[in-house]
Amino acid sequence: MALSERESPKGKRVSLFVTCIVDMIYPGTGMSAVDILEHVGVDVDFPMAQTCCGQPAFNSGYRDEARTVARHFFKAFKDAEVIVTPSGSCATMVRHEYPHLFTPDDGELYEQARRMAAITWEFSEFLVDGLGIVDLQLQLPEKESFAMHDACHGLRGLGLGWASRELIANLGNAELVELKECEVCCGFGGLFSVKMADISNAMLKTKVDNINDSSAETIVTGDVSCLTQMNGGLSRDKSRKRVLHLADVLAKGLGGGRA
């Protein structure tokens, strides 16, 4: 199914969908996203009733359970004008899969699914495609080199990639270099890494080798699940290199950033 058509988000209040992993493990990344959104003049709110988007259940084949979670999502974000999330995979779930979970026979639920799909934006996509901002007028405290890892859901589900590169390229004191096989999966894939651990670890080893061979000091991605997978591999490899979320890198340029 093609992505839902969307109205411009300019001038609208943003409701932050922080996602499960950010909430539980990387709350600072959520705050960095808020800092950047407020830096560009966006009014941000945080619906306290939010939980999961339902992707784990959906990917595991538990469609009824995923629909239950989606119905709660509808309630949590019922007043949202625009939803922004620092996760390409969760954004893909809402925009691609919500309209699949419900049919026209579901009436209001189907309409709510389509509305949520139409107002949801991934963080970098919102800044660049939604607001038309490619230069945040920020500068890092010191020079640093970066390379991008294109997370699978965002790259293939939403066509992400260039927006984050534009933001890094226009960040003062940042040098953007390429990472070999930047578009190749890191091996996480949610339950894939559990059910097919040997294949997942082999894919991770290739990714870690490419990161270590890169001239970049830091790897940047838009999904903390990939970040967790790669940093785990780098840590076990005794590598000094690390992966950061795009929002945390940009927040470094705010001076008082939380990265």
Side-chain angles (χ1 to χ4, degrees):
M1 178 181 291
L3 291 172
S4 301
E5 294 185 6
R6 295 179 290 178
E7 297 178 357
S8 171
K10 291 181 179 179
K12 297 180 180 179
R13 184 185 73 252
V14 162
S15 295
L16 180 70
F17 174 42
V18 77
T19 79
C20 301
I21 300 181
V22 171
D23 180 45
M24 298 300 295
I25 306 177
Y26 304 100
T29 298
M31 296 304 297
S32 292
V34 172
D35 289 341
I36 293 299
L37 292 171
E38 290 182 342
H39 170 73
V40 298
V42 173
D43 181 22
V44 184
D45 70 59
F46 184 84
M48 293 300 292
Q50 65 180 276
T51 54
C52 180
C53 65
Q55 183 182 170
F58 179 83
N59 290 346
S60 303
Y62 293 97
R63 300 300 172 89
D64 288 341
E65 289 78 1
R67 279 188 282 270
T68 297
V69 178
R71 286 195 293 270
H72 179 77
F73 188 98
F74 299 160
K75 293 178 182 178
F77 289 93
K78 63 183 176 61
D79 296 323
E81 298 176 17
V82 173
I83 300 170
V84 173
T85 180
S87 168
S89 62
C90 296
T92 300
M93 177 65 192
V94 175
R95 289 182 56 198
H96 265 297
E97 308 304 349
Y98 272 17
H100 286 250
L101 280 175
F102 302 93
T103 70
D105 291 340
D106 292 310
E108 180 62 24
L109 288 173
Y110 179 68
E111 295 306 317
Q112 290 183 53
R114 289 176 58 83
R115 185 178 107 79
M116 294 299 162
I119 66 172
T120 296
W121 299 73
E122 185 271 341
F123 175 71
S124 68
E125 176 194 36
F126 173 74
L127 292 171
V128 177
D129 294 342
L131 301 184
I133 299 173
V134 295
D135 188 348
L136 295 169
Q137 301 294 309
L138 297 175
Q139 180 168 307
L140 298 175
E142 299 177 350
K143 290 185 177 180
E144 190 172 353
S145 58
F146 301 92
M148 301 299 306
H149 164 72
D150 296 300
C152 292
H153 277 92
L155 177 65
R156 294 167 178 84
L158 302 177
L160 303 180
W162 79 275
S164 53
R165 285 172 171 78
E166 286 280 343
L167 292 167
I168 294 293
N170 288 309
L171 181 62
N173 274 338
E175 177 191 8
L176 183 62
V177 301
E178 279 300 315
L179 172 68
K180 182 181 178 183
E181 297 183 339
C182 59
E183 77 289 351
V184 175
C185 181
C186 66
F188 180 64
L191 287 178
F192 172 79
S193 63
V194 177
K195 292 188 173 182
M196 299 185 177
D198 290 343
I199 298 175
S200 172
N201 287 332
M203 296 170 71
L204 176 59
K205 183 181 185 306
T206 299
K207 181 63 67 173
V208 167
D209 289 344
N210 287 335
I211 290 174
N212 285 329
D213 289 342
S214 171
S215 62
E217 299 166 84
T218 302
I219 306 303
V220 183
T221 190
D223 263 299
V224 293
S225 53
C226 300
L227 179 154
T228 302
Q229 168 85 339
M230 291 184 286
N231 277 339
L234 289 166
S235 177
R236 292 188 292 273
D237 198 54
K238 309 299 182 185
S239 174
R240 297 180 62 184
K241 296 189 177 183
R242 286 296 180 268
V243 185
L244 289 178
H245 191 281
L246 173 68
D248 289 321
V249 173
L250 297 176
K252 285 185 179 183
L254 291 170
R258 309 168 192 269

